[in-house]
Amino acid sequence: MAMLPGNARPPGIALFARAPQAGAAKTRLIPALGAAGAARLQRRLTLQALATAQRAELGRITLWATPDTGQRFFRAVQRRCDIDLRSQPAGDLGVRMAAAFAAQAGPLLLIGCDCPVLRAADLVMAAQALRHPGPGGNDAVFIPVDDGGYMLVGLCCPQPRLFEDIDWGSERVMAQTRLRLSALGLRWRELPSLWDLDRPEDLVRLATLPGFAAWQR
């Protein structure tokens, strides 16, 4: 278990993942990798994100699956990794994220599978940022990404209004979220930004990482 200051309760980790189905996974990368190649990359990224979450040794890990938990890949991962498995509800990304936080009894870090440079140490730092909620502490923590969004959000308790009326998928996500945090009177910390894998040009950076050179086209 990761060491946190004082008697802090380690936050759980929620991982959002899409099934690695050809034609439905990493669709923006299909022109560069083909449908099957994009699906294989989705599988690899999901397994790496799970391994990173496990190395952080924080709270219980829940994989929030889409389109549903009946996918064979998700069932196999649940058996092998001893994690909880739930289906993402219907709705936009904000609705689905709010549902994940509402389902957690306590602090939670939520991540996706699109950031291959995320480290277990980053998750531990995010957990430490939630150490002191309330006056003088942080209610939320984020790891922004360089396209204007964020790849990690952590909350001490559910904040459903934080995810309402955000232009998901745009370069305005983090800026709009900062405005919403201020409007809600929440205190937050932003950790150093990372990059996520979203567009074909991102494959050049991916190919520089250990074990990913074969994905370059």
Side-chain angles (χ1 to χ4, degrees):
M1 186 69 69
M3 296 300 295
L4 300 180
N7 296 317
R9 175 184 177 183
I13 299 177
L15 172 65
F16 272 24
R18 178 172 293 277
Q21 297 174 306
K26 285 287 174 212
T27 55
R28 293 184 185 180
L29 300 183
I30 289 177
L33 299 177
R40 287 195 299 271
L41 181 56
Q42 173 69 19
R43 181 181 186 277
R44 172 72 180 277
L45 291 170
T46 302
L47 293 176
Q48 176 165 310
L50 277 170
T52 299
Q54 289 178 315
R55 286 196 297 272
E57 297 185 319
L58 295 170
R60 186 74 179 170
I61 299 169
T62 302
L63 193 158
W64 288 81
T66 187
D68 56 67
T69 58
Q71 302 292 318
R72 183 170 61 181
F73 169 74
F74 292 136
R75 293 296 186 186
V77 166
Q78 182 187 34
R79 290 192 299 270
R80 188 172 79 178
C81 299
D82 184 30
I83 59 172
D84 297 326
L85 182 62
R86 301 187 66 161
S87 292
Q88 295 182 33
D92 67 13
L93 180 58
V95 170
R96 291 180 278 131
M97 293 171 73
F101 282 101
Q104 176 75 12
L108 179 71
L109 304 178
L110 189 153
I111 62 173
C113 298
D114 298 335
C115 187
V117 291
L118 180 70
R119 306 166 302 159
D122 297 317
L123 296 174
V124 174
M125 286 173 51
Q128 291 170 340
L130 296 178
R131 170 67 182 89
H132 297 294
N138 297 307
D139 304 295
V141 60
F142 295 85
I143 297 181
V145 288
D146 54 14
D147 63 3
Y150 55 82
M151 59 75 48
L152 176 148
V153 52
L155 297 174
C156 291
C157 62
Q159 299 286 349
R161 291 182 57 196
L162 183 63
F163 306 109
E164 296 175 354
D165 300 320
I166 300 294
D167 296 327
W168 302 111
S170 77
E171 72 282 358
R172 299 181 295 277
V173 169
M174 193 67 229
Q176 291 176 336
T177 299
R178 293 185 187 106
L179 292 174
R180 185 63 52 78
L181 287 160
S182 295
L184 293 172
L186 299 177
R187 297 175 60 94
W188 77 95
R189 179 180 172 191
E190 295 180 27
L191 300 181
S193 63
L194 300 174
W195 60 270
D196 61 357
L197 181 62
D198 191 41
R199 299 161 297 181
E201 50 265 38
D202 297 324
L203 293 170
V204 176
R205 288 193 288 190
L206 181 70
T208 66
L209 302 180
F212 280 101
W215 294 105
Q216 190 173 21
R217 293 293 189 268

